[in-house]
Amino acid sequence: MTNPTNKSKQVETTGHVWDGDLREYNNPLPNWWLWAFYATIVFSIIYWVIYPAWPVGKSFTRGIATVTVEENGQTKEMPWNSRSQLIAEMQSSPAAVKQREYIEKVAAASYEEIFANPDMMAFARSMAKGYFGDYCAACHGQGGQGNLPFFPNLADDDWLWGGQVEQIQVSLQAGRKGNMPAFPNIQGQALDDLASYVLSLSGEAVDAAAAERGKQGYAMCMGCHGAEGKGNPMLGAANLTDKAWSVINIPAAGSIEEKKKLVAGVINKGIAREMPAFGNRLKPEEIKMLTVYVHELGGGK
Amino acid sequence: MKHESIEINAGLLIILTLVVISIGGLVEIVPLFHIKNTVEEVKGVRPYTPLELRGRDLYIREGCYACHSQMVRPFRDEMLRYGHYSLAAESKYDHPFQWGSKRTGPDIARLGGKYSDEWHTQHLIRPQNVVPESIMPAYPWLAQNELKYDDIEKRMKALKMTGVPYSLTEEEYQANVAEYGKEMADKLHIPNAKATLEAEATSRNWDGDKSRITEMDAMVAYLQMLGTLVDFKQYEQGYFASFR
């Protein structure tokens, strides 16, 4: 820029000169930019008046905007903020109102009425699918297929704690603590015999003589699993006579020796499993819809 | 001072720029120190017990915050999925807080009690064992490593300097008894810290192995208390809105 161009003759410079020859044009700001700038200032002043904005001493200006909410059956005006806005949205946004209409219907209905009403069923199913995905699927899998050896299958017709709606509801509300004591003193031949007998209950091809010998040892299992091994849903004791295994994966085990080893492991180490309680986290009607869903998953009882 | 003399003097220009920017920053930040009522008055919030505190340190060590936020925002969709929105009071003893802003994984501000201890242990050892579609990396060493806790007292003392009410003196201990009850006050007493941590680790079967105190014990203890301190049923919705 040693030779100023034509333009520099028309436009004024700031008058500052650097390095002897560097000059700066003093062009005015474009009008559109200037007015947009003034508009932002006006906008901010309006915003300060309407919304929470300026700190004043130990408090702050809350603005003149209000939100109408309902509390204890009465409507009241609250100063606008994201939390009061949320209360209003939970109460009266179109989606919430529509949803509540159905939720109230489901809440008032008995399980029989829900099962008999396709409309309510469709609603409960679609709501519960979300709850199931968030709360249950982490352990029991997206389809309720379970995850042995840790978490039981909900999609079969075998229920540790009972498959009637009342029982499922209690499981959800209060959680379950499954506990089988360990029997570390049973070892060697006795352990092998007992494992054989337990496997024979569900028709596994074990040595008949060993199973017969193991029958004696089974006496101490009867308290929970019953004389015939049918289990006890009051205690969460598994039915040993069906082919549904809820703590060890017998069908996946290859040989009969492997199967015996799995059963022996349970006898020696016991089982301690816990399902969390959701009574505090989910509302009663949410538990109800989830009960319907879980009941349906396993074909229910 | 002439405008030109500032423009041609780089050192002076830098100093004056810093002064102007600081004023802008101070005007934004300082008033917040004086507005006490933005932190809600709410019952139940307490400092972390020694085992939970070690778990929290591991949470930070493993960089969990890079993918998980601990901040349920006050929106309807978040309330429906995660539970009550997070309060400022719930992280008043967090130094540093773990709010985060990146949700590659879900928000875990209300994780406590949602899943079983066994689930957490299995999930941390290999997430795909329990959630096949998960993209979370595995943390198997948590179950193998012995928990280092010989410096637990120092960790608590450091937090005490920032205002977390762990107790050292009898007087502070009594204040905690009045505030949190004797059982909790004992856990927050720094001279007891090691014994407390050992008792906590063995009182519950956190990682399925009671014979050792592992990092998994601490991590699960921390995850299982997240977001469980405040009983929201005690409060009207409008109560928390009055603090904004």
Side-chain angles (χ1 to χ4, degrees):
Chain A
M1 291 242 288
T2 37
N3 295 316
T5 59
N6 287 340
K7 203 179 175 197
S8 69
K9 285 175 191 155
Q10 297 153 12
V11 180
E12 229 183 305
T13 69
T14 54
H16 301 170
V17 183
W18 292 271
D19 288 349
D21 57 0
L22 269 177
R23 293 179 183 80
E24 188 185 7
Y25 289 145
N26 195 13
N27 282 317
L29 290 161
N31 272 338
W32 69 264
W33 191 94
L34 201 60
W35 285 105
F37 178 63
Y38 292 146
T40 60
I41 294 175
V42 174
F43 174 84
S44 66
I45 292 168
I46 296 169
Y47 187 97
W48 295 339
V49 174
I50 298 177
Y51 295 110
W54 283 94
V56 182
K58 285 183 192 296
S59 185
F60 52 90
T61 58
R62 287 193 151 76
I64 56 168
T66 58
V67 176
T68 310
V69 298
E70 208 183 298
E71 198 172 273
N72 301 325
Q74 291 176 332
T75 53
K76 81 177 193 188
E77 299 275 312
M78 294 178 76
W80 185 95
N81 56 58
S82 53
R83 290 179 177 183
S84 56
Q85 170 77 31
L86 173 67
I87 300 172
E89 216 170 287
M90 297 291 277
Q91 288 173 347
S92 51
S93 71
V97 170
K98 197 158 186 204
Q99 205 170 57
R100 190 160 53 236
E101 187 190 314
Y102 278 91
I103 288 175
E104 278 168 4
K105 245 199 257 175
V106 170
S110 70
Y111 282 112
E112 288 75 25
E113 286 165 349
I114 299 174
F115 286 129
N117 183 328
D119 214 23
M120 273 199 263
M121 269 313 273
F123 178 73
R125 220 178 270 139
S126 79
M127 286 294 280
K129 193 164 189 237
Y131 302 132
F132 192 88
D134 206 15
Y135 295 99
C136 318
C139 291
H140 295 288
Q142 280 296 347
Q145 72 276 19
N147 189 352
L148 293 182
F150 309 111
F151 312 108
N153 187 340
L154 301 176
D156 59 10
D157 199 24
D158 186 58
W159 300 88
L160 278 174
W161 299 93
Q164 287 166 3
V165 278
E166 293 78 13
Q167 293 163 314
I168 296 173
Q169 187 186 314
V170 172
S171 297
L172 284 166
Q173 221 150 26
R176 294 291 190 186
K177 280 196 166 120
N179 187 29
M180 168 173 154
F183 297 94
N185 294 331
I186 306 179
Q187 290 294 342
Q189 184 70 41
L191 183 61
D192 193 72
D193 290 347
L194 182 54
S196 297
Y197 178 69
V198 170
L199 285 167
S200 76
L201 288 173
S202 56
E204 292 286 344
V206 289
D207 180 39
E212 193 54 36
R213 285 196 302 275
K215 204 169 179 179
Q216 282 188 337
Y218 180 76
M220 67 179 142
C221 313
M222 286 183 191
C224 298
H225 290 288
E228 291 165 0
K230 296 264 187 218
N232 183 350
M234 299 287 284
L235 301 166
N239 184 345
L240 303 173
T241 63
D242 58 12
K243 288 180 188 297
W245 294 87
S246 52
V247 292
I248 41 178
N249 201 346
I250 289 293
S255 65
I256 200 77
E257 284 311 311
E258 254 175 77
K259 292 180 184 181
K260 280 200 275 190
K261 216 161 132 192
L262 283 173
V263 175
V266 174
I267 296 170
N268 280 168
K269 293 197 189 108
I271 298 284
R273 295 204 298 195
E274 181 179 358
M275 160 151 162
F278 293 99
N280 268 329
R281 200 178 264 274
L282 295 173
K283 297 193 190 96
E285 63 271 17
E286 292 171 343
I287 289 196
K288 200 170 197 176
M289 290 186 274
L290 208 39
T291 301
V292 168
Y293 185 82
V294 172
H295 182 266
E296 205 181 37
L297 267 185
K301 293 241 165 170
Chain B
M1 203 183 302
K2 275 187 77 182
H3 196 242
E4 190 175 354
S5 58
I6 299 173
E7 281 185 4
I8 61 174
N9 190 336
L12 186 63
L13 182 65
I14 288 170
I15 290 169
L16 292 177
T17 307
L18 283 176
V19 169
V20 172
I21 292 175
S22 312
I23 291 171
L26 289 171
V27 167
E28 282 188 73
I29 297 165
V30 171
L32 294 177
F33 295 158
H34 300 285
I35 304 178
K36 293 280 181 238
N37 66 356
T38 51
V39 180
E40 307 85 356
E41 281 169 40
V42 67
K43 274 189 199 142
V45 179
R46 57 157 176 83
Y48 298 100
T49 65
L51 189 65
E52 292 162 4
L53 179 62
R54 280 304 282 126
R56 199 184 113 88
D57 291 340
L58 295 171
Y59 181 92
I60 296 168
R61 181 189 80 185
E62 301 297 354
C64 307
Y65 55 81
C67 292
H68 292 283
S69 59
Q70 289 190 25
M71 160 65 82
V72 183
R73 297 171 294 176
F75 302 135
R76 180 165 173 268
D77 56 328
E78 300 222 350
M79 289 278 277
L80 293 180
R81 172 162 184 193
Y82 296 119
H84 199 283
Y85 55 79
S86 296
L87 303 177
E90 286 182 288
S91 42
K92 67 179 171 181
Y93 298 134
D94 278 11
H95 299 284
F97 60 77
Q98 297 299 315
W99 300 340
S101 59
K102 182 78 177 79
R103 284 182 181 169
T104 302
D107 185 274
I108 56 174
R110 303 252 172 257
L111 183 63
K114 190 168 177 180
Y115 308 122
S116 65
D117 295 348
E118 185 167 32
W119 183 86
H120 279 296
T121 303
Q122 294 306 328
H123 183 249
L124 285 164
I125 290 173
R126 188 170 175 270
Q128 292 72 25
N129 281 352
V130 285
V131 185
E133 65 274 25
S134 174
I135 56 163
M136 180 169 140
Y139 297 85
W141 53 86
L142 293 174
Q144 292 151 14
N145 293 354
E146 297 273 348
L147 181 68
K148 183 173 170 289
Y149 60 93
D150 52 351
D151 56 357
I152 185 67
E153 292 179 19
K154 283 186 193 157
R155 289 172 189 268
M156 290 165 85
K157 276 181 192 158
L159 282 171
K160 187 170 185 293
M161 286 167 66
T162 68
V164 180
Y166 290 119
S167 60
L168 264 177
T169 65
E170 178 64 21
E171 197 183 331
E172 287 163 348
Y173 170 74
Q174 289 304 340
N176 277 352
V177 172
E179 180 73 26
Y180 306 114
K182 184 172 182 319
E183 197 185 340
M184 186 46 64
D186 283 341
K187 291 184 180 172
L188 304 180
H189 198 45
I190 297 176
N192 296 348
K194 268 185 211 170
T196 304
L197 187 145
E198 284 162 9
E200 281 187 279
T202 48
S203 70
R204 183 164 151 181
N205 204 358
W206 300 105
D207 66 349
D209 178 2
K210 273 196 175 183
S211 61
R212 305 159 61 216
I213 301 180
T214 60
E215 292 183 341
M216 187 68 83
D217 286 324
M219 186 67 118
V220 175
Y222 172 62
L223 296 176
Q224 288 290 42
M225 63 76 65
L226 283 177
T228 59
L229 297 182
V230 177
D231 179 6
F232 285 97
K233 286 185 180 148
Q234 289 182 17
Y235 299 95
E236 290 278 352
Q237 276 291 308
Y239 175 72
F240 297 116
S242 67
F243 291 93
R244 284 292 178 276

